[in-house]
Amino acid sequence: MFNLGDIIAMKKPHACGENRWELIRIGADIKIKCMGCGHIVMIPRGEFNKKFKKVLTQAADVDEANEEFYLKSTQIMQPNMINKNEEDL
C-alpha cells in the first residue's frame, strides 16, 4: 500500500495549498512531511488510514533533485533494530 519515503496524497490539502506528502515514519503513528512548505505532522495510524487517498510516487522513483523538501533514504531515521550479535540483557 505505502512505504517509507513514498510521496502520497491525502483527501484534503495542507494549509499551504500543497497536497503532496512524504512518509517519513511508519508505526503506530505516521509522520508525514508537506512537500510544499516542509511542515511535519504526526498522525495516529487509524486517522491516517481514513485521510489517506493514494500513493503518487514510490520512494524508488522519486527525483530528489526536483523535490526541495524530500528527505533522502539515508536521512530518514530507521527503526531501532537489535543486533543479533548482542547478548540479551
Side-chain angles (χ1 to χ4, degrees):
M1 188 171 186
F2 50 82
N3 294 309
L4 201 60
D6 288 352
I7 295 180
I8 61 163
M10 302 295 274
K11 290 184 180 175
K12 292 185 179 180
H14 187 240
C16 72
E18 185 68 54
N19 195 20
R20 295 172 1 129
W21 300 83
E22 177 190 4
L23 283 167
I24 58 176
R25 181 182 185 274
I26 299 175
D29 295 320
I30 307 287
K31 190 182 279 190
I32 56 177
K33 182 177 187 179
C34 178
M35 298 303 288
C37 65
H39 185 92
I40 295 174
V41 179
M42 188 172 249
I43 307 171
R45 184 179 279 270
E47 185 179 336
F48 175 82
N49 288 337
K50 289 179 190 174
K51 294 181 177 183
F52 172 76
K53 189 172 183 182
K54 65 180 178 178
V55 174
L56 298 174
T57 310
Q58 297 289 328
D61 300 333
V62 174
D63 184 11
E64 296 170 0
N66 294 336
E67 301 293 347
E68 181 181 359
F69 294 105
Y70 188 77
L71 291 174
K72 297 178 177 91
S73 59
T74 56
Q75 295 174 313
I76 296 175
M77 181 178 272
Q78 299 297 321
N80 292 334
M81 299 295 207
I82 298 173
N83 293 336
K84 293 181 180 179
N85 298 334
E86 292 181 3
E87 295 178 11
D88 293 334
L89 297 176

Coordinates of all heavy atoms in Angstrom, one line a residue:
M1 N 0.8 -1.2 0.0 CA 0.0 0.0 0.0 C 0.9 1.3 0.0 O 0.9 2.0 -0.9 CB -0.9 0.0 1.2 CG -2.0 1.0 1.2 SD -3.1 0.6 2.6 CE -4.3 1.9 2.3
F2 N 1.6 1.5 1.1 CA 2.6 2.6 1.1 C 3.8 2.2 1.9 O 3.8 1.3 2.7 CB 1.9 3.9 1.7 CG 1.2 3.6 3.0 CD1 1.9 3.6 4.2 CD2 -0.1 3.4 3.1 CE1 1.3 3.4 5.4 CE2 -0.8 3.2 4.3 CZ -0.1 3.2 5.5
N3 N 4.9 2.8 1.6 CA 6.2 2.5 2.2 C 6.9 3.8 2.6 O 6.6 4.9 2.2 CB 7.1 1.7 1.2 CG 6.5 0.4 0.9 OD1 6.2 -0.4 1.8 ND2 6.4 0.1 -0.4
L4 N 7.9 3.7 3.4 CA 8.7 4.8 3.9 C 9.4 5.5 2.7 O 9.9 4.8 1.8 CB 9.8 4.2 4.8 CG 10.5 5.2 5.8 CD1 9.5 5.8 6.7 CD2 11.6 4.5 6.6
G5 N 9.2 6.8 2.6 CA 9.8 7.6 1.6 C 8.9 7.8 0.4 O 9.2 8.6 -0.5
D6 N 7.7 7.2 0.4 CA 6.7 7.4 -0.7 C 6.2 8.8 -0.6 O 6.1 9.4 0.4 CB 5.6 6.4 -0.7 CG 6.0 5.0 -1.1 OD1 7.1 4.8 -1.5 OD2 5.1 4.1 -0.9
I7 N 5.8 9.4 -1.8 CA 5.1 10.6 -1.8 C 3.6 10.3 -2.0 O 3.3 9.6 -3.0 CB 5.6 11.6 -2.9 CG1 7.0 12.0 -2.6 CG2 4.7 12.8 -3.0 CD1 7.7 12.9 -3.6
I8 N 2.8 10.8 -1.1 CA 1.3 10.4 -1.1 C 0.4 11.6 -1.2 O 0.9 12.7 -1.1 CB 1.0 9.6 0.2 CG1 1.2 10.5 1.4 CG2 1.8 8.3 0.3 CD1 0.6 10.0 2.6
A9 N -0.8 11.4 -1.5 CA -1.9 12.4 -1.5 C -2.8 12.1 -0.4 O -3.2 10.9 -0.1 CB -2.6 12.5 -2.8
M10 N -3.3 13.1 0.3 CA -4.3 13.0 1.3 C -5.6 13.5 0.8 O -5.7 14.1 -0.3 CB -3.9 13.8 2.6 CG -2.6 13.3 3.2 SD -2.6 11.7 3.8 CE -3.2 11.9 5.5
K11 N -6.7 13.3 1.5 CA -8.0 13.7 1.0 C -8.1 15.2 1.0 O -8.8 15.8 0.1 CB -9.1 13.1 1.8 CG -9.3 11.6 1.6 CD -10.4 11.0 2.3 CE -10.5 9.5 2.0 NZ -11.6 8.9 2.8
K12 N -7.5 15.9 1.9 CA -7.5 17.4 1.9 C -6.1 17.9 1.8 O -5.2 17.3 2.4 CB -8.2 17.9 3.3 CG -9.6 17.5 3.4 CD -10.2 18.1 4.6 CE -11.7 17.9 4.7 NZ -12.3 18.4 5.9
P13 N -5.9 19.0 1.2 CA -4.6 19.6 1.1 C -4.1 20.3 2.4 O -4.9 20.6 3.3 CB -4.7 20.7 0.0 CG -6.1 21.0 0.0 CD -6.9 19.8 0.4
H14 N -2.8 20.5 2.5 CA -2.3 21.3 3.6 C -2.7 22.7 3.5 O -3.1 23.2 2.5 CB -0.7 21.1 3.6 CG -0.1 21.7 4.8 ND1 0.8 22.7 4.8 CD2 -0.2 21.4 6.1 CE1 1.3 23.0 6.0 NE2 0.6 22.2 6.8
A15 N -2.5 23.5 4.6 CA -2.9 24.9 4.6 C -2.1 25.7 3.6 O -2.6 26.8 3.1 CB -2.7 25.5 6.0
C16 N -0.9 25.3 3.2 CA -0.1 26.0 2.2 C -0.6 25.8 0.8 O -0.2 26.4 -0.1 CB 1.3 25.6 2.3 SG 1.7 23.9 1.7
G17 N -1.6 24.8 0.6 CA -2.2 24.6 -0.7 C -1.6 23.3 -1.4 O -2.2 22.9 -2.4
E18 N -0.6 22.7 -0.9 CA 0.0 21.5 -1.5 C -0.7 20.3 -0.9 O -1.0 20.2 0.2 CB 1.5 21.5 -1.1 CG 2.3 20.4 -1.8 CD 2.4 20.5 -3.3 OE1 2.8 21.6 -3.7 OE2 2.0 19.6 -4.0
N19 N -0.9 19.3 -1.8 CA -1.5 18.0 -1.4 C -0.5 16.9 -1.6 O -1.0 15.8 -2.0 CB -2.8 17.8 -2.1 CG -3.6 16.7 -1.4 OD1 -3.4 16.4 -0.2 ND2 -4.6 16.1 -2.1
R20 N 0.8 17.1 -1.5 CA 1.8 16.0 -1.7 C 2.5 15.9 -0.4 O 3.0 16.9 0.1 CB 2.7 16.3 -2.9 CG 1.9 16.3 -4.2 CD 2.8 16.8 -5.3 NE 4.1 17.1 -4.9 CZ 5.2 16.7 -5.4 NH1 5.3 16.1 -6.4 NH2 6.4 17.0 -4.9
W21 N 2.6 14.7 0.1 CA 3.3 14.5 1.4 C 4.3 13.4 1.3 O 4.0 12.4 0.6 CB 2.2 14.1 2.5 CG 1.1 15.1 2.7 CD1 0.0 15.3 2.0 CD2 1.1 16.1 3.7 NE1 -0.7 16.3 2.5 CE2 -0.1 16.8 3.6 CE3 1.9 16.4 4.8 CZ2 -0.5 17.8 4.4 CZ3 1.6 17.4 5.7 CH2 0.4 18.1 5.5
E22 N 5.4 13.4 2.1 CA 6.3 12.4 2.1 C 6.2 11.6 3.4 O 6.0 12.2 4.5 CB 7.8 12.9 2.0 CG 8.8 11.8 2.2 CD 10.2 12.4 2.3 OE1 10.4 13.6 2.5 OE2 11.2 11.6 2.4
L23 N 6.2 10.3 3.3 CA 6.1 9.4 4.5 C 7.5 9.3 5.1 O 8.4 8.8 4.5 CB 5.6 8.0 4.2 CG 4.1 7.9 3.9 CD1 3.8 6.6 3.3 CD2 3.4 8.0 5.2
I24 N 7.7 9.8 6.4 CA 9.0 9.8 7.0 C 9.0 8.9 8.2 O 10.1 8.7 8.8 CB 9.5 11.2 7.3 CG1 8.6 12.0 8.2 CG2 9.8 11.9 6.0 CD1 9.2 13.3 8.6
R25 N 7.9 8.4 8.7 CA 7.8 7.4 9.8 C 6.6 6.6 9.7 O 5.5 7.2 9.4 CB 7.9 8.2 11.1 CG 7.9 7.2 12.3 CD 7.8 8.0 13.6 NE 7.9 7.1 14.8 CZ 6.9 6.5 15.4 NH1 5.7 6.6 14.9 NH2 7.1 5.7 16.4
I26 N 6.7 5.3 9.8 CA 5.6 4.4 9.8 C 5.7 3.5 11.0 O 6.7 2.9 11.3 CB 5.6 3.5 8.5 CG1 5.5 4.4 7.3 CG2 4.4 2.5 8.6 CD1 5.6 3.7 6.0
G27 N 4.6 3.5 11.8 CA 4.5 2.7 13.0 C 3.1 2.8 13.5 O 2.1 2.9 12.8
A28 N 2.9 2.9 14.8 CA 1.6 3.1 15.4 C 1.1 4.5 15.0 O -0.1 4.7 14.9 CB 1.6 2.9 16.9
D29 N 2.0 5.4 14.9 CA 1.8 6.8 14.4 C 2.5 6.9 13.1 O 3.5 6.3 12.8 CB 2.3 7.8 15.3 CG 1.6 7.8 16.7 OD1 0.4 7.6 16.7 OD2 2.3 8.0 17.7
I30 N 1.9 7.7 12.2 CA 2.5 8.0 10.9 C 3.0 9.5 10.9 O 2.3 10.4 11.3 CB 1.5 7.8 9.8 CG1 0.8 6.4 9.8 CG2 2.1 8.1 8.4 CD1 1.7 5.3 9.4
K31 N 4.2 9.7 10.4 CA 4.8 11.0 10.3 C 4.9 11.4 8.9 O 5.5 10.6 8.1 CB 6.1 11.1 11.0 CG 6.6 12.6 11.2 CD 8.0 12.6 11.8 CE 7.9 12.6 13.3 NZ 9.2 12.9 14.0
I32 N 4.3 12.5 8.5 CA 4.3 12.9 7.1 C 4.9 14.3 7.0 O 4.8 15.1 8.0 CB 2.9 12.8 6.4 CG1 1.9 13.6 7.2 CG2 2.5 11.4 6.2 CD1 0.5 13.6 6.5
K33 N 5.5 14.6 5.9 CA 6.1 16.0 5.7 C 5.5 16.6 4.4 O 5.5 16.0 3.4 CB 7.6 15.8 5.5 CG 8.4 17.1 5.3 CD 9.8 16.8 5.3 CE 10.6 18.0 5.3 NZ 12.1 17.7 5.2
C34 N 5.0 17.8 4.5 CA 4.4 18.5 3.4 C 5.5 18.9 2.4 O 6.6 19.4 2.8 CB 3.8 19.8 3.9 SG 3.1 20.8 2.6
M35 N 5.3 18.6 1.1 CA 6.3 18.8 0.1 C 6.2 20.3 -0.4 O 7.1 20.7 -1.2 CB 6.1 17.8 -1.1 CG 6.3 16.4 -0.7 SD 7.9 16.0 0.0 CE 8.9 16.2 -1.4
G36 N 5.3 21.0 0.1 CA 5.2 22.4 -0.3 C 5.9 23.4 0.6 O 6.6 24.3 0.2
C37 N 5.8 23.1 1.9 CA 6.4 24.0 2.9 C 7.4 23.3 3.9 O 8.0 24.0 4.6 CB 5.3 24.8 3.7 SG 4.3 23.7 4.7
G38 N 7.4 22.0 3.9 CA 8.3 21.3 4.8 C 7.7 21.0 6.2 O 8.4 20.5 7.0
H39 N 6.5 21.4 6.5 CA 5.9 21.2 7.8 C 5.7 19.7 8.0 O 5.3 18.9 7.1 CB 4.5 21.9 7.8 CG 3.8 21.8 9.1 ND1 4.0 22.8 10.1 CD2 3.0 20.9 9.7 CE1 3.3 22.5 11.2 NE2 2.7 21.3 10.9
I40 N 6.0 19.2 9.2 CA 5.9 17.8 9.6 C 4.7 17.6 10.5 O 4.6 18.4 11.5 CB 7.2 17.3 10.3 CG1 8.4 17.4 9.3 CG2 7.1 15.9 10.8 CD1 9.7 17.1 9.8
V41 N 3.9 16.6 10.2 CA 2.7 16.3 11.0 C 2.8 14.8 11.4 O 3.1 14.0 10.6 CB 1.5 16.5 10.2 CG1 0.2 16.2 11.0 CG2 1.4 18.0 9.7
M42 N 2.5 14.5 12.7 CA 2.4 13.1 13.2 C 0.9 12.8 13.4 O 0.2 13.6 14.1 CB 3.2 12.9 14.4 CG 3.3 11.5 14.9 SD 4.4 11.3 16.2 CE 5.7 10.4 15.4
I43 N 0.4 11.7 12.8 CA -1.0 11.3 12.9 C -1.1 9.9 13.3 O -0.3 9.0 12.9 CB -1.6 11.4 11.4 CG1 -1.4 12.8 10.8 CG2 -3.1 11.1 11.5 CD1 -1.8 12.9 9.4
P44 N -2.1 9.6 14.2 CA -2.3 8.2 14.6 C -2.7 7.4 13.3 O -3.3 7.9 12.4 CB -3.5 8.3 15.5 CG -3.5 9.7 16.0 CD -2.9 10.5 14.9
R45 N -2.2 6.1 13.3 CA -2.4 5.3 12.1 C -3.9 5.2 11.7 O -4.2 5.3 10.5 CB -1.9 3.9 12.3 CG -2.0 3.0 11.1 CD -1.4 1.6 11.3 NE 0.0 1.6 11.2 CZ 0.7 1.4 10.0 NH1 0.0 1.2 8.9 NH2 2.0 1.4 10.0
G46 N -4.8 5.1 12.6 CA -6.2 5.0 12.3 C -6.8 6.2 11.6 O -7.5 6.1 10.6
E47 N -6.4 7.4 12.1 CA -6.8 8.6 11.4 C -6.1 8.8 10.1 O -6.7 9.2 9.1 CB -6.3 9.8 12.3 CG -6.8 11.1 11.9 CD -6.4 12.3 12.8 OE1 -6.2 12.0 14.0 OE2 -6.3 13.4 12.3
F48 N -4.8 8.4 10.0 CA -4.1 8.4 8.7 C -4.8 7.6 7.6 O -5.0 8.0 6.5 CB -2.7 8.0 8.9 CG -1.9 7.9 7.6 CD1 -1.4 9.0 7.0 CD2 -1.8 6.7 6.9 CE1 -0.7 8.9 5.8 CE2 -1.1 6.6 5.7 CZ -0.6 7.7 5.1
N49 N -5.2 6.3 8.0 CA -5.9 5.4 7.1 C -7.2 6.0 6.6 O -7.6 5.8 5.4 CB -6.1 4.1 7.7 CG -4.9 3.3 7.9 OD1 -3.9 3.5 7.2 ND2 -4.9 2.4 8.8
K50 N -7.9 6.8 7.4 CA -9.1 7.5 6.9 C -8.8 8.6 6.0 O -9.6 8.9 5.0 CB -9.9 8.1 8.1 CG -10.5 7.0 9.0 CD -11.2 7.7 10.2 CE -11.6 6.7 11.2 NZ -12.2 7.3 12.4
K51 N -7.7 9.3 6.2 CA -7.4 10.5 5.4 C -6.5 10.2 4.2 O -6.4 11.1 3.3 CB -6.7 11.6 6.3 CG -7.6 12.1 7.4 CD -6.9 13.2 8.2 CE -7.8 13.7 9.2 NZ -7.2 14.8 10.0
F52 N -5.9 9.1 4.1 CA -5.0 8.7 3.0 C -5.8 8.5 1.7 O -6.9 7.9 1.7 CB -4.3 7.4 3.4 CG -3.5 6.8 2.2 CD1 -2.3 7.3 1.9 CD2 -4.0 5.7 1.6 CE1 -1.5 6.8 0.9 CE2 -3.2 5.1 0.5 CZ -2.0 5.7 0.2
K53 N -5.3 9.0 0.6 CA -6.0 8.9 -0.7 C -5.3 7.9 -1.6 O -5.9 6.9 -2.0 CB -6.1 10.3 -1.3 CG -7.0 10.3 -2.6 CD -7.2 11.7 -3.0 CE -8.2 11.8 -4.2 NZ -8.4 13.1 -4.7
K54 N -4.0 8.2 -2.0 CA -3.3 7.3 -2.9 C -1.8 7.7 -2.8 O -1.4 8.7 -2.4 CB -3.8 7.5 -4.3 CG -3.6 8.8 -4.9 CD -4.1 8.9 -6.3 CE -3.9 10.3 -6.9 NZ -4.4 10.3 -8.3
V55 N -1.0 6.7 -3.3 CA 0.5 6.9 -3.5 C 0.7 7.6 -4.8 O 0.3 7.1 -5.9 CB 1.2 5.6 -3.4 CG1 2.7 5.8 -3.7 CG2 1.0 4.9 -2.0
L56 N 1.3 8.7 -4.8 CA 1.6 9.4 -6.1 C 2.9 8.9 -6.7 O 3.0 8.7 -7.9 CB 1.7 10.9 -5.8 CG 0.5 11.6 -5.3 CD1 0.8 13.1 -4.9 CD2 -0.6 11.5 -6.3
T57 N 4.0 8.8 -5.9 CA 5.3 8.3 -6.4 C 5.9 7.4 -5.4 O 5.9 7.7 -4.2 CB 6.2 9.5 -6.5 OG1 5.6 10.5 -7.3 CG2 7.5 9.1 -7.2
Q58 N 6.3 6.2 -5.8 CA 7.0 5.3 -5.0 C 8.4 5.9 -4.6 O 9.0 6.6 -5.4 CB 7.3 3.9 -5.7 CG 6.0 3.2 -6.1 CD 5.3 2.6 -4.9 OE1 5.9 2.2 -3.9 NE2 4.0 2.6 -4.9
A59 N 8.9 5.5 -3.4 CA 10.2 6.0 -2.9 C 11.3 5.8 -3.9 O 12.2 6.7 -4.1 CB 10.5 5.4 -1.6
A60 N 11.3 4.7 -4.6 CA 12.4 4.4 -5.6 C 12.4 5.2 -6.8 O 13.4 5.4 -7.5 CB 12.4 2.9 -6.0
D61 N 11.2 5.8 -7.1 CA 11.0 6.6 -8.4 C 11.1 8.1 -8.2 O 10.9 8.8 -9.1 CB 9.7 6.2 -9.0 CG 9.6 4.7 -9.3 OD1 10.6 4.1 -9.6 OD2 8.4 4.2 -9.3
V62 N 11.3 8.6 -6.9 CA 11.3 10.0 -6.6 C 12.6 10.6 -7.2 O 13.7 10.1 -7.0 CB 11.2 10.3 -5.1 CG1 11.4 11.7 -4.8 CG2 9.9 9.7 -4.6
D63 N 12.4 11.8 -7.9 CA 13.5 12.5 -8.4 C 13.9 13.6 -7.4 O 13.3 14.6 -7.2 CB 13.1 13.2 -9.7 CG 14.3 14.0 -10.4 OD1 15.4 13.8 -9.9 OD2 14.0 14.7 -11.3
E64 N 14.9 13.2 -6.6 CA 15.3 14.1 -5.4 C 15.7 15.5 -5.8 O 15.6 16.4 -5.0 CB 16.4 13.4 -4.6 CG 15.9 12.1 -4.0 CD 17.0 11.2 -3.4 OE1 18.2 11.7 -3.4 OE2 16.7 10.1 -2.9
A65 N 16.3 15.6 -7.0 CA 16.7 16.9 -7.5 C 15.6 17.9 -7.7 O 15.8 19.1 -7.5 CB 17.5 16.8 -8.8
N66 N 14.4 17.4 -8.0 CA 13.2 18.3 -8.2 C 12.4 18.5 -7.0 O 11.5 19.3 -7.0 CB 12.3 17.7 -9.3 CG 13.0 17.7 -10.6 OD1 13.9 18.5 -10.9 ND2 12.6 16.9 -11.5
E67 N 12.7 17.8 -5.9 CA 11.9 17.9 -4.6 C 12.7 18.7 -3.6 O 13.7 18.2 -3.0 CB 11.5 16.5 -4.1 CG 10.7 15.7 -5.1 CD 9.3 16.3 -5.4 OE1 8.9 17.1 -4.6 OE2 8.7 15.8 -6.3
E68 N 12.3 19.9 -3.2 CA 13.0 20.7 -2.3 C 13.1 20.2 -0.9 O 14.1 20.2 -0.2 CB 12.4 22.1 -2.3 CG 13.1 23.1 -1.4 CD 12.5 24.5 -1.3 OE1 11.5 24.7 -2.1 OE2 13.0 25.3 -0.6
F69 N 12.0 19.6 -0.4 CA 11.9 19.2 1.0 C 12.0 17.7 1.1 O 11.8 17.1 2.2 CB 10.5 19.7 1.6 CG 10.5 21.1 1.7 CD1 9.7 21.9 0.8 CD2 11.2 21.8 2.7 CE1 9.7 23.3 1.0 CE2 11.2 23.2 2.8 CZ 10.4 23.9 1.9
Y70 N 12.3 16.9 0.1 CA 12.4 15.5 0.2 C 13.6 15.0 0.9 O 14.7 15.5 0.7 CB 12.4 14.8 -1.3 CG 12.3 13.3 -1.2 CD1 11.1 12.7 -1.1 CD2 13.4 12.5 -1.4 CE1 10.9 11.4 -1.0 CE2 13.3 11.2 -1.4 CZ 12.0 10.6 -1.2 OH 11.9 9.2 -1.2
L71 N 13.4 14.1 1.9 CA 14.5 13.5 2.7 C 15.0 12.3 2.0 O 14.2 11.4 1.6 CB 14.0 13.2 4.1 CG 13.7 14.3 5.0 CD1 13.1 13.8 6.3 CD2 14.9 15.1 5.3
K72 N 16.3 12.2 1.8 CA 16.9 11.0 1.2 C 16.7 9.8 2.2 O 16.6 10.0 3.4 CB 18.3 11.3 0.9 CG 18.6 12.4 -0.1 CD 20.0 12.6 -0.4 CE 20.2 13.6 -1.4 NZ 20.3 15.0 -0.9
S73 N 16.8 8.6 1.6 CA 16.6 7.4 2.5 C 17.7 7.4 3.6 O 17.4 6.8 4.6 CB 16.7 6.2 1.6 OG 17.9 6.1 1.0
T74 N 18.8 8.0 3.4 CA 19.9 8.0 4.4 C 19.6 8.9 5.5 O 20.1 8.8 6.6 CB 21.3 8.3 3.8 OG1 21.2 9.5 3.2 CG2 21.7 7.2 2.8
Q75 N 18.7 9.9 5.3 CA 18.3 10.9 6.3 C 17.1 10.5 7.1 O 16.9 11.1 8.1 CB 18.0 12.3 5.6 CG 19.2 12.9 4.9 CD 18.9 14.1 4.1 OE1 17.9 14.1 3.4 NE2 19.6 15.2 4.3
I76 N 16.4 9.5 6.6 CA 15.2 9.1 7.4 C 15.6 8.1 8.5 O 16.4 7.2 8.2 CB 14.2 8.4 6.4 CG1 13.6 9.3 5.4 CG2 13.0 7.8 7.2 CD1 12.7 8.7 4.4
M77 N 15.2 8.4 9.7 CA 15.6 7.6 10.8 C 14.9 6.2 10.7 O 13.7 6.1 10.6 CB 15.2 8.2 12.1 CG 15.6 7.4 13.3 SD 15.1 8.2 14.9 CE 16.6 9.2 15.1
Q78 N 15.8 5.2 10.6 CA 15.3 3.8 10.6 C 14.9 3.3 11.9 O 15.4 3.8 12.9 CB 16.4 2.9 10.0 CG 16.8 3.3 8.6 CD 15.7 3.2 7.6 OE1 14.9 2.2 7.6 NE2 15.6 4.1 6.7
P79 N 13.9 2.3 12.0 CA 13.5 1.8 13.3 C 14.7 1.2 14.0 O 15.6 0.7 13.4 CB 12.5 0.8 13.0 CG 12.2 0.9 11.5 CD 13.2 1.7 10.9
N80 N 14.7 1.2 15.4 CA 15.7 0.6 16.2 C 15.7 -0.9 16.0 O 14.7 -1.6 16.1 CB 15.6 0.9 17.6 CG 15.8 2.4 17.9 OD1 16.6 3.0 17.2 ND2 15.3 2.9 19.0
M81 N 16.8 -1.5 15.6 CA 16.9 -2.9 15.5 C 18.0 -3.5 16.4 O 19.0 -2.8 16.6 CB 17.3 -3.3 14.0 CG 16.3 -2.8 13.0 SD 14.8 -3.7 13.2 CE 14.1 -3.6 11.6
I82 N 17.7 -4.6 17.0 CA 18.7 -5.2 17.9 C 19.6 -6.1 17.1 O 19.1 -6.9 16.3 CB 18.0 -6.0 19.0 CG1 17.1 -5.1 19.8 CG2 19.0 -6.8 19.8 CD1 16.2 -5.9 20.8
N83 N 20.9 -5.9 17.2 CA 21.9 -6.7 16.5 C 21.8 -8.1 17.0 O 21.7 -8.4 18.2 CB 23.3 -6.2 16.6 CG 23.4 -4.8 15.9 OD1 22.7 -4.5 15.0 ND2 24.4 -4.1 16.4
K84 N 21.9 -9.1 16.1 CA 21.8 -10.5 16.6 C 23.0 -10.9 17.3 O 23.0 -11.9 18.1 CB 21.6 -11.4 15.3 CG 20.3 -11.2 14.7 CD 20.1 -12.1 13.5 CE 18.7 -11.8 12.8 NZ 18.5 -12.7 11.7
N85 N 24.1 -10.1 17.2 CA 25.4 -10.5 17.9 C 25.4 -10.0 19.3 O 26.2 -10.4 20.1 CB 26.6 -9.9 17.1 CG 26.7 -10.5 15.7 OD1 26.3 -11.6 15.5 ND2 27.3 -9.7 14.9
E86 N 24.5 -9.1 19.7 CA 24.4 -8.6 21.0 C 23.8 -9.6 22.0 O 22.9 -10.3 21.6 CB 23.6 -7.3 21.1 CG 24.3 -6.1 20.4 CD 23.5 -4.8 20.5 OE1 22.5 -4.8 21.1 OE2 23.9 -3.9 19.8
E87 N 24.3 -9.6 23.2 CA 23.7 -10.5 24.2 C 22.5 -9.9 24.8 O 22.4 -8.7 24.9 CB 24.8 -10.8 25.3 CG 26.0 -11.5 24.8 CD 27.0 -11.7 25.9 OE1 26.6 -11.5 27.1 OE2 28.1 -12.1 25.6
D88 N 21.5 -10.8 25.2 CA 20.3 -10.3 25.9 C 20.7 -9.8 27.2 O 21.5 -10.5 28.0 CB 19.3 -11.4 25.9 CG 18.8 -11.8 24.6 OD1 18.8 -10.9 23.6 OD2 18.3 -12.9 24.4
L89 N 20.1 -8.7 27.6 CA 20.4 -8.2 29.0 C 19.5 -8.7 30.0 O 18.4 -8.9 29.9 CB 20.4 -6.6 29.0 CG 21.4 -6.0 28.1 CD1 21.2 -4.5 28.0 CD2 22.8 -6.3 28.6

